Structures are given as structure tokens and as C-alpha cells.
Amino acid sequence: MLASACPGWICYAEKVNGSFILPHISTTKSPQQVMGTLVKHYLGRVLSRTPDQIYHVTVMPCYDKKLEASRSDFYDDVYKTRDVDCVITTGEVLEMIEKEGIQLLSEENCLQNLSFLGDEEELWSHEGGGSGGYLHHIARFAVKSLFGQDLKNLEYKTLRMLKWWRPVTLF
């Protein structure tokens, strides 16, 4: 199984690798799209609203998340709405902040004490690689679900011919 929350990678796999790789890609929605479904459907029920009465905006670090949100897979034909209506990149948020002349590092805008957020180590760190620990999370869940064991750490192997490809074997 291959899993990725990167819409650019999924698009590349669909266009370039086609039938060779597509059967092995997880059909689970990305975190952005899962949240869109939860906001539109679950929260909608809680608020007594239909999905088309909720406008859901996400802030994401990558422009490809805009393409992901616009895919037909994530369009609700019944309510004629998307799971995620608008995606704003972090760069666009920064531009808006700068345009308004807001100084984030000024004393009045800075949080002086973050202790209310809990353990700082737990808050600001993650396990896994540069992708934010996505593979690590999936592997830990799979090992626990399939074998009833806790996965302590993953060993990435670098292949001699494909240095960018680092396979992981669980058992």
C-alpha cells in the first residue's frame, strides 16, 4: 500500500504511472478532505445545517491543496457543494497579514506564555521523516492493528540506485 497526503504526488502517480501504481495507492482521503467531510456533514448536523449552508476554508502550506479540493472526487452531487470550499496557502495568509501591516512579533501580538498548551516537547515535535510523520503514523497504526504490537521506530533503507526511494519493512 502506498499512502500520501500530497496531492502533487497523487496527480503525478495518476498521470505518469497509471495502472502500474494506482491499485496500490490508499483510497483514504487526505487530512484536509477528511476534515472537510466532518465539518460539512457532522458539524452540519450538530448545527442543524446542510453541507451547502457551510463554507469551509482551510489554510495549507502547499498550492497543490487547492487542486486537491477542486477534484470531482470531493464534490457532493446531492448538495452541490465541495468538502472544502476554499484553500488559502500559508504564503497567502502571510501576504494578507503584511498587507494589513500587522507585526506578528510585536509584543502585543505575541503569546508570552504557552504553558497552557501542555508539554512543549510533545506539542512541537513529531516522529517520522520530513513529511511530518505520515508514514510513521500509518506504519504504527498498521502494526498495532495487524500484529497487536507497538512499533518503536522505523528503519529507512536507502537504495543504491534510487537514493530518493527509502523503503521500510515492518516485519
Side-chain angles (χ1 to χ4, degrees), residues 24-95:
H24 305 289
I25 295 178
S26 170
T27 57
T28 303
K29 288 182 175 184
S30 73
Q32 171 181 274
Q33 296 308 129
V34 168
M35 184 55 76
T37 301
L38 289 172
V39 166
K40 292 279 186 131
H41 293 276
Y42 175 74
L43 184 62
R45 276 195 302 261
V46 170
L47 298 173
S48 299
R49 300 279 189 266
T50 58
D52 59 324
Q53 294 175 313
I54 296 173
Y55 193 80
H56 179 60
V57 179
T58 63
V59 176
M60 294 290 158
C62 177
Y63 282 92
D64 283 347
K65 289 294 190 178
K66 293 173 181 274
L67 298 174
E68 175 184 301
S70 69
R71 288 177 66 109
S72 60
D73 315 30
F74 307 125
Y75 184 78
D76 185 331
D77 288 324
V78 174
Y79 291 101
K80 307 281 188 260
T81 187
R82 300 194 173 284
D83 293 342
V84 176
D85 297 295
C86 178
V87 178
I88 302 171
T89 66
T90 50
E92 291 168 325
V93 169
L94 181 60
E95 286 176 17

Side-chain angles (χ1 to χ4, degrees), residues 113-126:
N113 183 350
L114 298 178
S115 63
F116 67 91
L117 294 173
D119 179 26
E120 195 173 309
E121 177 68 25
E122 179 183 322
L123 179 67
W124 302 110
S125 67
H126 62 78

